[in-house]
Amino acid sequence: MRSNIGLFFLVAIIGLVSCNSNSDFDAYLALPNSAWNKKNTLQFTFPINDSINKKNLFINVRNNKDYAYSNLFLITQMIFPDGNVITDTLEYDMADVTGKFLGEGFSDIKENKLFYKENIIFPNTGEYTFKVRQAMRKNGAIAGIEELEGITHVGFRIEKIEE
């Protein structure tokens, strides 16, 4: 009887997760030892078949209690099928003014869904590549932080905008 209840809940959870038709692309990369080396550029390659409808793009970041900062600086590149590249330097808040981590989650791991681009239309169909690397520095320091501890996963997500 107990195994049937467990099986039911497992199937229900899988069904709910797989029914998320709002997502065109959603992928995560795990970082070794929950640390992001400044030389570790993460890359997501995805096809775009729709050059008409608007999309929202997100960078998803999972951090744990070892993350020692209230913000996160990232350098991103979007590489288009025709070879054009858009580079951005971004800053996101990771904690509120009291130091409490932002994001969703009940345990020591918080997930942050960070807006990258809103209401965009991909100009061409084809294969795109999104690259992201951390660009954190300690206050007053010139050199970047070699190993940014406390980041467990980084993801990239594309969502359809329902109009």
Side-chain angles (χ1 to χ4, degrees), residues 16-28:
L16 288 173
V17 171
S18 65
C19 287
N20 188 352
S21 62
N22 195 33
S23 172
D24 274 356
F25 180 84
D26 195 6
Y28 280 87

Side-chain angles (χ1 to χ4, degrees), residues 29-37 40 42 62 148 151-154:
L29 295 171
L31 296 171
N33 303 315
S34 298
W36 195 351
N37 186 287
N40 186 3
L42 304 175
R62 291 182 185 143
L148 183 60
I151 303 291
T152 63
H153 296 81
V154 176

Side-chain angles (χ1 to χ4, degrees), residues 77-90:
Q77 286 186 315
M78 180 67 75
I79 303 167
F80 293 72
D82 62 6
N84 283 332
V85 178
I86 294 176
T87 302
D88 291 303
T89 301
L90 308 166

Side-chain angles (χ1 to χ4, degrees), residues 39-110:
K39 295 177 184 168
N40 186 3
T41 298
L42 304 175
Q43 180 172 307
F44 302 88
T45 301
F46 53 93
I48 293 296
N49 301 315
D50 176 2
S51 62
I52 297 172
N53 295 303
K54 293 181 181 179
K55 315 277 186 198
N56 286 331
L57 283 56
F58 299 92
I59 301 168
N60 295 322
V61 176
R62 291 182 185 143
N63 67 285
N64 64 26
K65 61 181 174 38
D66 296 330
Y67 191 73
Y69 305 95
S70 63
N71 63 349
L72 175 65
F73 281 94
L74 301 174
I75 297 175
T76 64
Q77 286 186 315
M78 180 67 75
I79 303 167
F80 293 72
D82 62 6
N84 283 332
V85 178
I86 294 176
T87 302
D88 291 303
T89 301
L90 308 166
E91 180 184 12
Y92 296 101
D93 289 328
M94 298 296 285
D96 65 17
V97 293
T98 67
K100 181 182 174 201
F101 284 128
L102 302 173
E104 302 290 322
F106 298 107
S107 66
D108 287 339
I109 295 180
K110 297 294 182 191

